[in-house]
């Protein structure tokens, strides 16, 4: 899996995730898939609705957010190609909780935020048998 | 026949189709018919025989968990929608 992301959009994600620190933040990745390359065209932050006391290590969206953004992507000729979230003071590696709640054919972009500073972003995709995530190549341009 | 809208990532298992016509008198029967037509969907929608916790089924704007769940009755022409609840988290406890 190859994922292309502009440096501007990556900076926007990093700013959002740093602002959410020490809690987790996240949002949707809108884009397209052509010739095996997933190109992110827009990133849209979505409120973390997990219980406030757990937001330091949990992130959740309302199903209505999916409904709204999927329709918006369709209207813009784009697709919901993935979602991003942060791991405060943790590595940008999917957790077991991530795997249990993941969908296949979807980019999971995880940003590690260490001491309020975004330090690393990695992209992952769930295997079709749900057994694990595989890492992808993130191309920043 | 009712219709079920498939979320974008799962359309890989419906040959790219976004809407699938299904038979059945309840949501559970309709989903059963859906996975009969497209068996690769089952693993991502169900854990054992229960809907996965992050899988929501809406009829219009109504979540079936606030209706009668999988026993919710449907009528011909109803539009159902599978909507994932995105969630994640670090391994930090």
């Amino acid at each position: 899996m190859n994922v292309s992301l502009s440096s501007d959009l990556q900076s926007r994600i990093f700013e959002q995730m740093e602002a959410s620190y020490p809690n987790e933040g996240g949002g949707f990745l809108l884009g397209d898939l052509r010739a095996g390359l997933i190109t992110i065209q827009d990133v849209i932050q979505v409120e973390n609705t997990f219980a406030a006391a757990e937001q330091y290590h949990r992130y959740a969206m309302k199903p209505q957010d999916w409904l709204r953004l999927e329709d918006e992507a369709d209207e813009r000729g784009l697709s919901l190609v993935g979602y991003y979230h942060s791991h405060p003071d943790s590595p940008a590696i999917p957790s077991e909780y991530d795997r249990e709640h993941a969908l296949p054919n979807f980019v999971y972009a995880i940003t590690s935020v260490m001491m309020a500073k975004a330090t690393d972003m990695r992209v992952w995709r769930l295997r079709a048998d749900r057994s694990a995530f595989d890492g992808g190549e993130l191309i920043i341009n | 026949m009712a219709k079920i809208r498939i979320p974008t990532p799962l359309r890989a298992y419906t040959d790219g189709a976004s809407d699938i016509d299904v038979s059945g008198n309840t949501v559970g029967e309709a989903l059963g018919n859906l996975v009969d037509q497209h068996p690769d969907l089952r693993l991502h929608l169900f854990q054992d025989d229960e809907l996965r916790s992050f899988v929501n089924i809406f009829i219009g704007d109504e979540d079936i968990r606030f209706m009668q769940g999988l026993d919710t009755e449907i009528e011909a022409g109803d539009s159902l929608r599978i909507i994932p609840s995105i969630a994640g988290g670090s391994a930090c406890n």
Side-chain angles (χ1 to χ4, degrees), chain B residues 2-47:
Chain B
K3 185 174 290 186
I4 299 182
R5 172 153 277 210
I6 309 298
T8 309
L10 297 185
R11 293 175 192 170
Y13 305 124
T14 59
D15 302 318
S18 57
D19 294 283
I20 305 295
D21 290 326
V22 291
S23 60
N25 297 313
T26 65
V27 171
E29 289 176 5
L31 289 172
N33 183 251
L34 175 68
V35 298
D36 283 346
Q37 294 183 54
H38 300 285
D40 290 341
L41 285 172
R42 179 182 295 278
L43 177 66
H44 304 292
L45 299 181
F46 292 97
Q47 188 163 28

